[in-house]
Amino acid sequence: MNKIKAIILDLDGTLLDDNKKIGDKTIEYLKQIKNNVKIIPASARQFCTIKPYLEKLDLLEENNYTICFNGSLIVDNKESEIFSSYIDKSVVIKIDNFILDNNIDWTYYLYNSRLLRNEISNIKEFVNGNKIYKIVGISNPDVINRIRNNLPKEVLDNLEITSSELNRIEFVNKGMTKVKAIELLLNKLDIDKENVVAIGDGDNDIDMIKYVGCGIAMLNSPEIVKENADIVTKHTNNEDGVYYVIKELLSEGSDNNG
């Protein structure tokens, strides 16, 4: 492929193992290459839960960036906001009845905090006083599938619906995806998408895997993700899969990656 200038990394199920840790080999290798290749996390998470991993990778420096909330927020790693898109207050009010009608755990995500829906006594007051970037429901996969198949028009018309894991359904503002955020960030960094690698494992990663020059699915990904990838890793997220695939790619392109 073309010279690799940036690597977009999903976190859960990709960079992180099942114990929510980064493998030692991956940590050391990413620290080794970070001055030559942009390492950009792209996650459904909020920034405060990504920051500890950025510390381990020595990425809390100037000119490093993170994509949060499936693309609804881009920050530099000093926490300055580059771009944000929160859910319109009127939309939150509209879908609140739908949320309450489904007896699963729903959580509202703010910039650096979150609140369970059943802890909110006055939804209008809460919505008017806060910017809500993401709403998440968690249950068993069968319940999540049932909900996805029965979403009302007001949800479909106003929100992007994804799942970073099989037991989750996630709502962000319409038009906000990891690809949208990647596009905005690459434009800022003056990097062509053909010079970018993206690695993920969930259905919310499919679009970014298809968008960049080299899209990679983890070995532990569902088949639908693998089918949309240029490469499938030979190792899972529990086996430093990110380390092995990036090292192989950069070795193959050593003549033009330096």
Side-chain angles (χ1 to χ4, degrees):
M1 64 170 288
N2 296 331
K3 179 178 180 180
I4 298 171
K5 295 183 179 180
I7 299 169
I8 314 289
L9 289 172
D10 171 59
L11 292 189
D12 297 279
T14 300
L15 182 63
L16 307 185
D17 64 21
D18 291 348
N19 294 315
K20 306 303 181 184
K21 294 181 178 179
I22 309 175
D24 291 341
K25 289 180 180 178
T26 304
I27 289 173
E28 291 309 310
Y29 190 66
L30 292 182
K31 286 166 68 174
Q32 180 184 326
I33 67 171
K34 69 184 179 68
N35 291 327
N36 296 318
V37 181
K38 282 285 181 194
I39 307 297
I40 304 170
S43 175
R45 290 173 174 243
Q46 58 199 141
F47 187 78
C48 62
T49 66
I50 300 173
K51 189 173 181 179
Y53 302 112
L54 301 177
E55 284 188 79
K56 287 187 176 295
L57 298 172
D58 287 345
L59 290 175
L60 292 177
E61 304 167 332
E62 298 291 339
N63 301 316
N64 285 291
Y65 303 90
T66 296
I67 296 168
C68 313
F69 297 129
N70 280 329
S72 290
L73 178 68
I74 305 172
V75 294
D76 71 22
N77 292 350
K78 295 289 188 182
E79 290 197 63
S80 294
E81 192 175 289
I82 305 300
F83 169 84
S84 70
S85 177
Y86 51 90
I87 302 172
D88 187 271
K89 297 179 189 302
S90 64
V91 172
V92 178
I93 298 297
K94 280 182 183 177
I95 68 169
D96 195 65
N97 286 335
F98 166 75
I99 286 172
L100 294 180
D101 285 345
N102 285 275
N103 189 26
I104 66 174
D105 295 326
W106 292 96
T107 304
Y108 284 72
Y109 282 76
L110 313 180
Y111 179 85
N112 258 345
S113 63
R114 60 186 180 179
L115 201 65
L116 290 172
R117 175 60 186 90
N118 61 20
E119 296 174 344
I120 302 169
S121 56
N122 187 321
I123 186 64
K124 289 186 178 179
E125 186 177 292
F126 174 75
V127 169
N128 286 329
N130 293 283
K131 294 179 180 178
I132 298 164
Y133 289 89
K134 185 175 70 164
I135 302 171
V136 175
I138 299 177
S139 187
N140 68 66
D142 289 340
V143 172
I144 295 300
N145 279 334
R146 177 179 59 78
I147 290 172
R148 287 196 74 147
N149 291 331
N150 292 280
L151 292 172
K153 187 174 186 297
E154 62 192 9
V155 172
L156 296 172
D157 287 349
N158 291 287
L159 299 170
E160 294 291 338
I161 300 100
T162 59
S163 295
S164 57
E165 298 178 43
L166 294 177
N167 67 337
R168 298 166 69 92
I169 184 167
E170 301 166 359
F171 302 145
V172 296
N173 207 19
K174 193 71 173 178
M176 293 302 104
T177 62
K178 288 186 179 182
V179 163
K180 177 64 175 177
I182 290 168
E183 187 178 23
L184 289 167
L185 192 50
L186 293 183
N187 186 57
K188 175 180 175 60
L189 296 172
D190 195 26
I191 295 175
D192 190 280
K193 67 178 183 178
E194 296 304 319
N195 298 108
V196 177
V197 171
I199 311 177
D201 76 300
D203 80 343
N204 64 327
D205 298 317
I206 291 174
D207 285 351
M208 76 171 187
I209 285 171
K210 293 169 64 176
Y211 176 73
V212 299
C214 181
I216 301 174
M218 297 298 292
L219 182 60
N220 48 283
S221 303
E223 285 305 312
I224 185 64
V225 183
K226 295 176 183 177
E227 289 167 5
N228 283 282
D230 300 304
I231 297 171
V232 177
T233 65
K234 298 172 185 174
H235 303 79
T236 69
N237 64 312
N238 292 319
E239 302 166 322
D240 280 295
V242 165
Y243 158 74
Y244 285 107
V245 74
I246 292 176
K247 186 176 183 182
E248 185 174 344
L249 277 177
L250 290 183
S251 296
E252 288 174 357
S254 59
D255 289 343
N256 63 6
N257 272 289

